[in-house]
Structure formats: structure tokens, C-alpha cells
Amino acid sequence: MFSRAWAGPSKQPAAHELSPWPPLSVHKEKERGWTDVEVGAGPSTSSDFPQRLHQVRHSCPCEQRHEKKRKSNCCWIIILVIIILFLLGNSIFLNIKTLSPKTSPGDPELATPDTKGTGTTTAKPSSSTSAPSAALVNCLSQFSINAPSSPTSYPCGTCVPIMAGVPNDLADGVTNPQTTGQGNALQFCALKAISDATAGNALQNAGWVKDVKFCGWNGVQCDSKGRVTALNLAFPAVPASLPTDLTSLIGLQNLQVVGDRNVPAGTIPDGLLSLPSLNTLHLESTAIQGPLPDNAFNKSSKLTSVTLVKNAQLGQTVPTGLFSLPLQTLIINTQNISTPLTTIFTSALASTLTTLDLSFNALTGALPSTLSSYNVLTDLHLDANDITALPAALPVSLKAFTIATNPRLASTIPAAVCSSSTLASCDFRGTQLKISTGQGNATTVCGKCLFG
């Protein structure tokens, strides 16, 4: 700030006599890169000072570089935000799409209408050359993306009919499946249906449906291809009824269900006994209803072991087709069956059957002579029936023979039975059996056999 002392009245100097303003030094901030700049040399007025200062500031190269860098950073931030929003939106769209794998009601290639009032639709099989439907792709996508973290939310009711419409990639003989993965998804849904139908979350408490790796669940065994080969269910971890989805277990070999005589109830699902690999069937203490039709086992070509115990509602007859199979073990115990003995002892079983247990039933009459032709039979149990007579000869291969509590059984014991070196146990208690002539009158002298 400059000042001049008052020197009294004087003559106003001419314009050319005015002394110039001293140079103005502007000190820039060191931290922002400013340097001292002299603004104007020579005559200047206070009115043009801001303009000249502005020109100097914007002519500084350092400031220009900062401005360009700031604008560049802003551009990159905007581009990054756009990319993030795009990825987020795409992820949300994918999740929404896979959460709703429903077929279009008007798409004839995806589903047929429900004409039986079952509440579900059935997908039409696609040709091997056609591309997978969008609904099928969605079901498989959700099983691989969402089901591992939320297995209970997988929509089996919607997806099973769709996935069942194409060749199963786990089936034998399927070399070029239209899609891969639906075999595992179908198996998961079959096991989930069992869990959903079990009271008190008994199977979930045992570790079921905690994930989609069902081969590690309690009572479930798989082969090297991931196909369920064995399923063992025991009360209280049994469903109220056997779900139809069990037929999706195309690799099932061994099915064992033990209830409490009240559950499971209902009927055996169509197609369960026709599974191509089924070789062992064990149903015990169930309320499954019968009778089974005679052709129930006609397609059970690999079935070698059948156990039916304490299934009071299954009926008093056994499907005739069962006795035409190459069975090795047949146990029908406490079923109150009354099938004629001549139907049971057919020649079809003679070369394969090793164990036969028909105890605690309603069998009546004499044992047929064909029994002697069962040359590999080792265990024969016919206790608690109404059998009246033995054949002239019994299988020489027998190791255990019990026919106790048949009060009307009054025939003569074949001599080969008492002299057999193979027979290890024998029970004739509760019968009127007698030793053949020439062996003496003492009924207790007959090898390993018990009387009384």
C-alpha cells in the first residue's frame, strides 16, 4: 500500500507526468507449484489487474497438466462405474432367470397339459438332434449355480417333468446325451421327495438335503459314475409313502425300507420294480397296499433277492411272475400268504434258489415233489403254516431245515434227512412227523433234527 503526504493545494499534473505504479509481485503457493510473477511493468490501472492476473494463472503449464490429469481421472472413474453396473445387472438378471425355470403354457415342445388332474405337466421328449429347451437349460443352470448353496429351494416340482423329457445322461447306452447333469438333478429330487415326505425332519436331521452331494448322505451309496446304487431307509427316517420320483434312480440296485407297520403306506410306484439294475428288494413292517399284479415283476430281469416281511396290507397272494425269476433268495415271512405250494415250487427257481423262507403264513397242503430238484437250496424255512405232508425226498444240499409248528404235518421223514452229513440244523417241533420204517421208533433219533 502506497501513500503520499499532503503538500497542500497544487496543480494537477498532466497525464504524461504521472509516475508509474511500482511492479506488483504475486507470490504463488509453493505447494501448488506457483512462482513469483511480476504483473505488468509500466503504466497500469487497477481495473485491468484481475484480468491480467487471470491470464497469468491460466498460462501456467503446471496448472494445465493438473487440470488434464483431473479430467482423465474423472473419465476413468465414470467408465469403471459403468462396467460395475453392467456386471451387477447381468448377475441379477441371471439369478432371476434361473430362479424361475418355468415352461411357457403355450410351448408344445416343453410340456403337455395336465389332463389327469395331477397338478403337474409332463415334458415331451426332445429329439436327439434338437437343442435343449430354454426351460431345461434353466433347470440345469439353477441346479449347478443356486442349488449347492440353497438345496431346499430347488424347484423339483417344476424341473423334474422337464428333465425327464430327454435321455438320462447316467443311463447305460446313452453315449451322446443332449445335456449333461440332469441325471444328478433327477436323483437329488428323488431323494429330496423322500425327505420331504418324512415326518419330523428325521432325514434332514440325519444330514439329508444339506447339500447336493447326496452320495454322502446317510443310507445312500453310489457307484463311480455318481449313480445311487443302494438306498436303506429305517423308521423313523422313512417317508409316509414311497414317492414316484424313486423311478429316477436308474442305477438303483438295492432298496431296503423298514417301517413301523404304519409307514410307509400307499402303493409301490409304477416302474420301481422295473428299474433296470434292481437286484435286491427288502420291504419290512410297512403298510404298503396290495395286492401286487401278477406282472409286477415281469421286467425285473436282474432281481435276485426279494424279502417281504410283516407287510400286512400287501395281500395274501404273491405275483406269479416272481417265481419265474432267477432268484437266489426269497423271503416272504409273516405275510399271511395263501399262494398254492405248487405255484411257488416251480422248476424256474430250482437251479438258482439258495435261501427260501416262507414262515408264518397261511400255506396249506402237501409239499410238491418238485422240491427235491432244488439242488442248490441250502436254507429252507416253512415254520408256522398248515403244511400236511413232506415229499419223498428233500434237496440233498440242505444245511438248515425248519418246519416247526405245522400241527397237521403227519407224514414220514425221508431217510436221507436223518442220515445227511450236510444238514447242520433241523426243527420238527410242533408236528406229527415220524421216522421211516427201519430207523426205530425213537422219534429223537434223526441226525440234527429236534422233536417235541
Side-chain angles (χ1 to χ4, degrees):
M1 192 70 178
F2 298 93
S3 63
R4 294 180 183 270
W6 175 254
S10 65
K11 180 182 177 181
Q12 182 73 22
H16 65 275
E17 296 180 22
L18 292 173
S19 60
W21 288 88
L24 175 64
S25 295
V26 180
H27 297 276
K28 306 295 182 179
E29 299 178 37
K30 291 184 180 181
E31 65 272 18
R32 296 182 58 185
W34 291 94
T35 58
D36 292 343
V37 179
E38 290 188 351
V39 182
S44 177
T45 63
S46 61
S47 61
D48 63 354
F49 173 75
Q51 181 179 359
R52 296 186 64 186
L53 179 60
H54 177 76
Q55 291 174 351
V56 171
R57 291 178 60 93
H58 282 272
S59 65
C60 178
C62 182
E63 178 67 17
Q64 291 176 353
R65 286 195 298 270
H66 279 286
E67 183 69 17
K68 289 181 179 180
K69 186 175 181 180
R70 186 182 65 81
K71 291 181 178 180
S72 176
N73 289 341
C74 288
C75 291
W76 281 112
I77 292 174
I78 292 173
I79 292 173
L80 182 60
V81 169
I82 292 174
I83 293 174
I84 293 174
L85 291 175
F86 173 80
L87 294 176
L88 181 60
N90 189 54
S91 176
I92 294 173
F93 173 79
L94 178 61
N95 285 332
I96 292 175
K97 189 174 182 180
T98 56
L99 282 171
S100 303
K102 297 181 180 180
T103 60
S104 172
D107 188 349
E109 292 185 4
L110 300 184
T112 55
D114 175 24
T115 58
K116 297 182 180 181
T118 60
T120 60
T121 57
T122 303
K124 292 184 178 180
S126 302
S127 64
S128 59
T129 58
S130 61
S133 68
L136 176 58
V137 172
N138 284 340
C139 285
L140 297 179
S141 175
Q142 184 174 2
F143 185 73
S144 62
I145 295 175
N146 296 336
S149 60
S150 182
T152 58
S153 64
Y154 185 69
C156 290
T158 298
C159 287
V160 166
I162 297 172
M163 293 185 294
V166 298
N168 195 312
D169 63 327
L170 294 178
D172 291 331
V174 177
T175 55
N176 296 306
Q178 182 182 1
T179 58
T180 57
Q182 91 272 27
N184 279 333
L186 286 171
Q187 290 186 125
F188 168 80
C189 285
L191 299 175
K192 181 176 180 293
I194 294 175
S195 179
D196 291 344
T198 301
N201 295 323
L203 285 172
Q204 291 190 27
N205 294 337
W208 280 43
V209 203
K210 301 295 184 183
D211 50 39
V212 295
K213 298 177 181 179
F214 45 79
C215 291
W217 296 355
N218 185 39
V220 179
Q221 298 179 19
C222 301
D223 62 11
S224 59
K225 294 184 178 180
R227 297 180 297 189
V228 176
T229 56
L231 180 60
N232 300 318
L233 305 173
F235 185 83
V238 295
S241 62
L242 299 180
T244 57
D245 289 355
L246 274 177
T247 56
S248 297
L249 304 179
I250 60 172
L252 188 63
Q253 300 174 16
N254 185 328
L255 175 61
Q256 178 173 311
V257 181
V258 180
D260 70 339
R261 298 200 181 193
N262 296 308
V263 292
T267 60
I268 295 178
D270 292 339
L272 179 60
L273 300 179
S274 302
L275 288 174
S277 300
L278 188 65
N279 59 43
T280 301
L281 176 66
H282 185 129
L283 301 177
E284 182 176 347
S285 298
T286 76
I288 295 175
Q289 298 177 357
L292 297 175
D294 282 341
N295 63 354
F297 294 94
N298 283 8
K299 296 183 179 180
S300 307
S301 59
K302 293 187 178 180
L303 200 60
T304 61
S305 177
V306 174
T307 300
L308 304 174
V309 177
K310 299 178 183 178
N311 302 286
Q313 306 298 322
L314 201 54
Q316 292 184 290
T317 59
V318 180
T320 56
L322 181 63
F323 305 115
S324 299
L325 299 176
L327 296 178
Q328 297 176 12
T329 300
L330 177 59
I331 300 174
I332 305 177
N333 192 305
T334 319
Q335 292 280 142
N336 202 34
I337 63 169
S338 58
T339 301
L341 291 170
T342 54
T343 301
I344 297 174
F345 292 98
T346 62
S347 58
L349 296 174
S351 61
T352 61
L353 199 63
T354 60
T355 300
L356 178 62
D357 184 353
L358 300 175
S359 301
F360 297 91
N361 285 297
L363 301 175
T364 185
L367 290 173
S369 59
T370 53
L371 176 58
S372 61
S373 65
Y374 282 58
N375 50 22
V376 296
L377 187 64
T378 59
D379 293 81
L380 177 61
H381 306 280
L382 300 170
D383 306 275
N385 281 288
D386 192 23
I387 297 173
T388 57
L390 296 178
L394 292 173
V396 296
S397 56
L398 281 180
K399 295 180 179 180
F401 178 40
T402 62
I403 195 169
T405 319
N406 282 271
R408 294 205 298 159
L409 181 57
S411 62
T412 302
I413 301 172
V417 172
C418 296
S419 60
S420 174
S421 60
T422 304
L423 197 63
S425 62
C426 177
D427 192 350
F428 292 150
R429 291 175 296 181
T431 71
Q432 301 181 46
L433 287 172
K434 299 178 181 178
I435 299 173
S436 62
T437 304
Q439 290 181 277
N441 294 325
T443 57
T444 58
V445 182
C446 184
K448 303 289 184 177
C449 296
L450 300 176
F451 292 86

